[in-house]
Amino acid sequence: MTDLAGFWRHTPRLTLLAMAVLLIAGGLMAVASETAYREEKVGDVEVQTRILATTTTAALSFNDRPTAGEYLTALSASPEFEAAGVYDAGGTLFAAYTAPGMTPVPAMAEPPGHHFDDDTLTVSVPVMQDGHRIGSVSLRTELEPFARRAERYVGMALLLAMTLLIVLVLGAAQAALARANHDLAERARDLSAANRALNAEIAEREKVEAALRQSQKMEAMGQLTGGIAHDFNNLLQALAGCLQLVGRRAKEPSIQPLLETGQQAIDRGAKLVQQLMAFARRQTLRPEPMDVRDRLLGMADLLTRAIRADITLETQVEPGLWAVEVDPTQFELAILNLAVNARDAMPDGGRLRVTARNRPADGANGDLVQVTVSDTGTGMEAEVKARVFEPFFTTKEVGKGSGLGLAQVYGFTRQSSGRVEIDSAPGQGTAVSLFLPRTVKTVAAHAKERSLDTARGAGRRLLLVEDDPIVGSMVAAALDEMGYAVLRAGNAEEALGLLNDRALRIDILFSDVVMPGAMNGIDLAHTARRLRPGLPVVLTTGYSEDIARIDGVRVLPKPYRVGELAELLEAALTADGAGIKVR
């Protein structure tokens, strides 16, 4: 009994000793936990950064800053990302994203690796293509505040301390036991709250990963679609040129209707390619300030003809509607595509409504104009609604739809810096809304189109660079009829050999943009103008004209007509160097 009394007499000292041991053990545990947390965070952020680097490879290759910016803007779905940047091969900032109130990424690329700065982590990885470094990606994320992490570490240490204290003072007093139980309950609540926060973070991360996978899927489909459209453009170009040359040489009147029918088929094919390019966001848009009210009211007759007599058309436009800056032709095509889809969804008739209203800035978005096309049709199941913007996806019978109408709407709106939302349910109809940014530019009056006059190149020597032999032969024949002396090259390297020959007179360069080899048409244009200052250059491409924008260089989209080529060559030859207007 005396020994037991002596033991309890030493309880304060034993308690202090136990607490000292636990503090040391807790400190070591906190250091280990902090190290593990940082290593895990570095691994997670590095995976996200490498995914982002893979996604932006195509944008860096084609110098497509808007698309790279869209990939970075997708990071706004996750609040943990503060800022991100894409840098070109020279280390210059190519595209960036910064969360509200956060510090932007630096203008120059940081070396590959990671570093911590207070409660932030920055990871930088190179962007590789075919074994070559074409740029880099930097991603900065917010760490959980150290104070919160320290609170968890202290909580675990205190939990162990309280457990030991309960054993040491079990016989000392019932009050001490009650206090220990109370503290233990508080720590349990803290752990429960931390567990709920962790579960919420996991759910948010899964949501971001799902959005990223969907973005990568749509990007892959866009790359495939754009490649198919480019090759199809070359085929259409060869056919169109051949038909026009045959038409100019044929004297038999009975041949003309056949040629016109062939040209109509080519025009339909060109429209199909335009829809493919719209989804791939590689079509050429010619945006201009546009009065949405006038455009929608002017489309009333067109929409009436597109729907059936058993469908009522209603157009409602809010007074004082803001202007937007978009391609008017593509805007009308998008509205027409939505109207046709709505018509097909109402086999027994119904109501088609086209509404437009202003959407003032709400913090996350600037001022927008919302244009909605809604119907009272059959509506869509959830699995159909999730896929309606995919190219070639359609629920219509074979031969009654290409599945490209809504893909064009999606591509046009995204390329116009807007977004699309769809609301539909079985039996409840469908409403598709386009959200387009407001513009403060003045809406200009429509100018009359000028007729094209076929130019003649008599006495001019033209260097034609085209890797497709069929297209090259057709274009060379057309140029020959215009009077040009044509020099042909199958790629940029072969063309450079001719440009370097100072004894060889060359009056103008006409080149395709996409060609095999290390040098494309854009690189060739830069080099040609350096070798021969003042040399007129015209480029042609089946992709978006935007990828070939060079000051003083004109761009002709495929497929084109011989008259359009003649006009553009004549304009490039006659324009003075300072007054060239880039199309």
Side-chain angles (χ1 to χ4, degrees):
M1 192 67 170
T2 303
D3 293 340
L4 186 60
F7 174 82
W8 287 115
R9 196 166 49 248
H10 293 293
T11 297
R13 296 179 183 178
L14 293 174
T15 303
L16 291 175
L17 178 61
M19 291 182 65
V21 172
L22 286 174
L23 285 175
I24 295 174
L28 294 175
M29 184 185 302
V31 172
S33 299
E34 177 70 9
T35 301
Y37 171 79
R38 287 180 174 243
E39 289 177 353
E40 181 181 3
K41 195 68 176 179
V42 168
D44 291 344
V45 177
E46 185 173 357
V47 169
Q48 296 285 348
T49 309
R50 292 192 180 280
I51 293 175
L52 186 58
T54 302
T55 306
T56 57
T57 300
L60 277 172
S61 299
F62 287 97
N63 196 27
D64 192 347
R65 295 175 181 268
T67 300
E70 290 177 4
Y71 296 145
L72 297 182
T73 305
L75 297 173
S76 62
S78 176
E80 69 174 327
F81 297 119
E82 289 186 359
V86 178
Y87 300 86
D88 59 21
T92 304
L93 187 62
F94 182 77
Y97 159 77
T98 304
M102 299 302 174
T103 304
V105 295
M108 295 303 294
E110 298 181 354
H114 68 274
H115 66 269
F116 293 90
D117 185 11
D118 294 331
D119 287 332
T120 63
L121 166 63
T122 302
V123 177
S124 299
V125 301
V127 179
M128 308 298 292
Q129 185 179 49
D130 297 331
H132 299 285
R133 180 181 177 274
I134 62 172
S136 62
V137 172
S138 181
L139 182 61
R140 188 170 72 239
T141 184
E142 180 182 12
L143 299 176
E144 183 182 20
F146 179 78
R148 190 179 302 170
R149 301 198 303 273
E151 183 180 351
R152 278 203 309 273
Y153 305 150
V154 172
M156 290 186 293
L158 288 177
L159 184 60
L160 293 174
M162 295 308 301
T163 303
L164 182 59
L165 286 174
I166 290 174
V167 174
L168 292 174
V169 301
L170 184 60
Q174 184 64 32
L177 180 60
R179 284 196 305 270
N181 288 334
H182 177 71
D183 290 342
L184 184 61
E186 288 185 351
R187 299 307 173 190
R189 284 194 296 271
D190 291 342
L191 287 175
S192 177
N195 186 56
R196 287 194 299 270
L198 181 60
N199 289 334
E201 182 178 346
I202 292 174
E204 183 66 24
R205 179 175 175 181
E206 290 176 347
K207 180 180 178 182
V208 172
E209 289 176 347
L212 182 58
R213 284 193 297 270
Q214 178 66 13
S215 174
Q216 290 173 332
K217 172 185 174 183
M218 297 296 281
E219 174 63 20
M221 294 180 69
Q223 290 178 353
L224 175 62
T225 303
I228 294 173
H230 174 263
D231 292 339
F232 195 32
N233 254 334
N234 275 339
L235 296 176
L236 290 177
Q237 181 60 63
L239 288 173
C242 288
L243 285 180
Q244 292 171 54
L245 290 176
V246 169
R248 294 173 63 179
R249 296 177 181 180
K251 305 300 182 182
E252 178 62 42
S254 61
I255 295 180
Q256 295 304 318
L258 297 176
L259 295 176
E260 292 175 2
T261 301
Q263 186 60 52
Q264 290 174 4
I266 290 173
D267 292 341
R268 290 178 61 187
K271 181 180 178 181
L272 177 64
V273 171
Q274 194 176 48
Q275 290 177 315
L276 289 170
M277 289 295 192
F279 172 77
R281 282 174 277 166
R282 292 178 178 174
Q283 70 170 347
T284 298
L285 296 184
R286 292 181 173 85
E288 61 183 56
M290 187 189 77
D291 189 320
V292 178
R293 177 183 180 278
D294 289 349
R295 189 67 57 168
L296 290 177
L297 294 179
M299 291 183 65
D301 290 342
L302 176 63
L303 294 177
T304 301
R305 290 194 298 270
I307 60 180
R308 300 186 306 275
D310 58 354
I311 297 177
T312 303
L313 173 63
E314 297 179 5
T315 303
Q316 183 178 356
V317 181
E318 177 181 295
L321 193 66
W322 296 325
V324 298
E325 187 173 8
V326 299
D327 187 319
T329 301
Q330 292 298 321
F331 173 80
E332 290 186 354
L333 180 60
I335 299 301
L336 184 60
N337 281 331
L338 292 176
V340 170
N341 274 276
R343 176 200 67 191
D344 295 341
M346 296 184 287
D348 299 323
R351 184 179 70 251
L352 173 66
R353 296 190 64 197
V354 181
T355 63
R357 66 189 185 99
N358 296 328
R359 293 289 299 269
D362 57 5
N365 301 293
D367 290 339
L368 299 170
V369 175
Q370 178 182 351
V371 181
T372 301
V373 178
S374 58
D375 62 65
T376 57
T378 55
M380 304 179 189
E381 300 286 349
E383 57 270 19
V384 174
K385 186 171 69 172
R387 299 186 58 194
V388 291
F389 294 122
E390 295 180 10
F392 306 113
F393 175 78
T394 179
T395 58
K396 301 176 184 178
E397 299 177 11
V398 176
K400 292 189 176 182
S402 64
L404 288 173
L406 290 178
Q408 181 272 336
V409 175
Y410 172 85
F412 157 73
T413 309
R414 292 298 301 274
Q415 199 171 356
S416 301
S417 302
R419 71 177 192 275
V420 187
E421 292 183 1
I422 185 168
D423 183 18
S424 183
Q428 302 298 316
T430 300
V432 181
S433 297
L434 313 184
F435 295 86
L436 301 170
R438 175 190 184 183
T439 183
V440 296
K441 296 180 181 179
T442 303
V443 178
H446 294 290
K448 293 183 179 180
E449 294 186 359
R450 182 171 58 88
S451 61
L452 295 177
D453 295 324
T454 302
R456 295 295 176 182
R460 303 286 191 174
R461 179 170 289 174
L462 180 145
L463 175 56
L464 171 64
V465 188
E466 173 60 64
D467 62 290
D468 190 308
I470 298 177
V471 176
S473 298
M474 181 278 299
V475 176
L479 293 170
D480 184 67
E481 283 204 355
M482 296 178 203
Y484 288 97
V486 180
L487 295 173
R488 290 187 59 180
N491 53 53
E493 288 76 10
E494 186 178 338
L496 282 181
L498 298 174
L499 290 168
N500 280 313
D501 186 355
R502 295 294 181 178
L504 185 62
R505 180 174 63 87
I506 298 176
D507 298 308
I508 188 170
L509 170 64
F510 180 49
S511 173
D512 194 5
V513 171
V514 179
M515 292 183 291
M519 180 178 289
N520 58 29
I522 300 173
D523 300 328
L524 176 62
H526 285 298
T527 306
R529 297 175 71 188
R530 186 173 65 251
L531 292 174
R532 299 194 179 205
L535 176 68
V537 178
V538 176
L539 297 177
T540 183
T541 178
Y543 286 108
S544 168
E545 294 177 40
D546 295 331
I547 69 172
R549 294 287 184 192
I550 307 174
D551 290 339
V553 173
R554 295 170 182 266
V555 183
L556 181 64
K558 290 181 179 179
Y560 52 82
R561 297 183 179 232
V562 173
E564 295 174 321
L565 173 60
E567 181 195 48
L568 203 59
L569 292 175
E570 184 69 17
L573 284 165
T574 57
D576 57 26
I580 294 178
K581 180 182 178 183
V582 180
R583 287 189 59 197

